[in-house]
Amino acid sequence: MPWLETHADTKVTVRVRTFWKSLEKVSEADDFWTDRLKQFSEEPQKRLRIALDNLPLPAAFKEAVLALRSMIRTKRKKKEDYAEELDVLYWLAVVRSFMLEYAPRLRQPGFNVFESIPAERIQTLPFSYQEMGYAKLALLNKTDCKWLAEAWGEPRTHMTLHALHQPVWDEYETKLVEKRSEETRGNWSKLLQHLPEENKGRILSSMEGASDRRGNEES
C-alpha cells in the first residue's frame, strides 16, 4: 500500500514493514526505484507516479517536484494552463515541511516519525497559502516561488506545516518514544530474568527514572 493511501496507524505499521522489505528485494535485483526513474527521463508523468509511490522518502519528494517542474515548464512554453500541477507541487512542499530532520525526544531521524503518521492524518491538516506562504518551504526553489506569487499573489506570512501543527508531530513522536521504552524494558526483562523479582523490578524502575530525566532535560 502506498503511503498516500494510509488512513490508520495500524495500516502504517504494516506499510512500513512491507515497504522496506520490498526495497531490500529490488535493491538486490539492481532495480532500485531511482533506477526506474532514469528510464523515464523524458516522461515526467511516469517519473511523478514512481516518486509518489515511494513517498514519504525525502528523495521521493524531491523527485516528484522535479517531475512537476518539468511538466509546468512544458505547459508554460505552450501557453497552457498548469494550475493543477502547481497545486500539487505546492501541496508536496507543504507536506514535506511537516518533517523535521531530527526528532530530539526520539533521538532518531525525523523521517522515522514522519513515516509513522498516516497520510490521511497529514492530508487533513488545515492550511492556506496566505498563512503558509513559500519562503519557509525548503522543497521550493526561486522559480517555484515566482510561479506561486504570479498565480496566487504574495501571502501574508511564511511558515512550515510543522510549526502550524506541531501537536500532531508531538503525538506521534511520543508514541514512538513509548514504543521504544517498552521494547527496551522487554529486552532487559529477558536479560535479567535470572534475578529475583524484587531486584529485577528495582533495576527496571531505575532505568525508567533515568529515561524520564533525560526526556525532561532534552525538552
Side-chain angles (χ1 to χ4, degrees), residues 88-113:
V88 177
L89 186 151
Y90 184 70
W91 180 81
L92 286 169
V94 169
V95 171
R96 176 63 179 84
S97 76
F98 192 64
M99 187 193 310
L100 294 180
E101 296 305 316
Y102 182 74
R105 289 189 296 125
L106 185 62
R107 288 180 287 173
Q108 291 180 6
F111 172 77
N112 293 350
V113 177

Side-chain angles (χ1 to χ4, degrees), residues 6 26 47 78 84 88 127 196 210 214 217:
T6 54
V26 296
R47 285 166 46 209
K78 295 180 179 179
E84 184 175 342
V88 177
F127 70 88
R214 284 198 302 270
E217 291 171 359

Side-chain angles (χ1 to χ4, degrees), residues 7-143:
H7 54 82
D9 291 1
T10 53
K11 294 291 185 181
V12 171
T13 301
V14 173
R15 190 212 69 84
V16 170
R17 188 183 308 117
T18 57
F19 178 74
W20 287 106
K21 285 184 178 179
S22 68
L23 286 186
E24 290 174 3
K25 292 179 181 179
V26 296
S27 180
E28 292 171 0
D30 195 29
D31 188 25
F32 200 59
W33 68 275
T34 52
D35 295 321
R36 296 200 302 277
L37 281 174
K38 297 174 185 177
Q39 301 172 20
F40 304 109
S41 58
E42 303 301 322
E43 299 179 71
Q45 290 86 354
K46 291 184 179 179
R47 285 166 46 209
L48 177 61
R49 182 70 266 167
I50 294 172
L52 293 177
D53 285 344
N54 285 278
L55 292 178
L57 292 173
F61 275 101
K62 291 181 181 179
E63 292 294 342
V65 166
L66 287 173
L68 285 161
R69 280 193 198 119
S70 177
M71 294 162 67
I72 291 173
R73 287 194 180 98
T74 297
K75 287 196 171 185
R76 282 174 64 91
K77 287 180 181 178
K78 295 180 179 179
K79 299 189 182 304
E80 296 177 352
D81 180 69
Y82 56 90
E84 184 175 342
E85 289 81 4
L86 190 62
D87 283 344
V88 177
L89 186 151
Y90 184 70
W91 180 81
L92 286 169
V94 169
V95 171
R96 176 63 179 84
S97 76
F98 192 64
M99 187 193 310
L100 294 180
E101 296 305 316
Y102 182 74
R105 289 189 296 125
L106 185 62
R107 288 180 287 173
Q108 291 180 6
F111 172 77
N112 293 350
V113 177
F114 190 87
E115 74 165 348
S116 74
I117 307 173
E120 184 179 67
R121 184 72 185 274
I122 297 177
Q123 290 165 359
T124 56
L125 295 177
F127 70 88
S128 70
Y129 171 72
Q130 284 300 317
E131 62 186 341
M132 294 297 303
Y134 52 76
K136 297 293 183 68
L137 307 182
L139 205 59
L140 300 178
N141 64 20
K142 291 182 179 179
T143 300

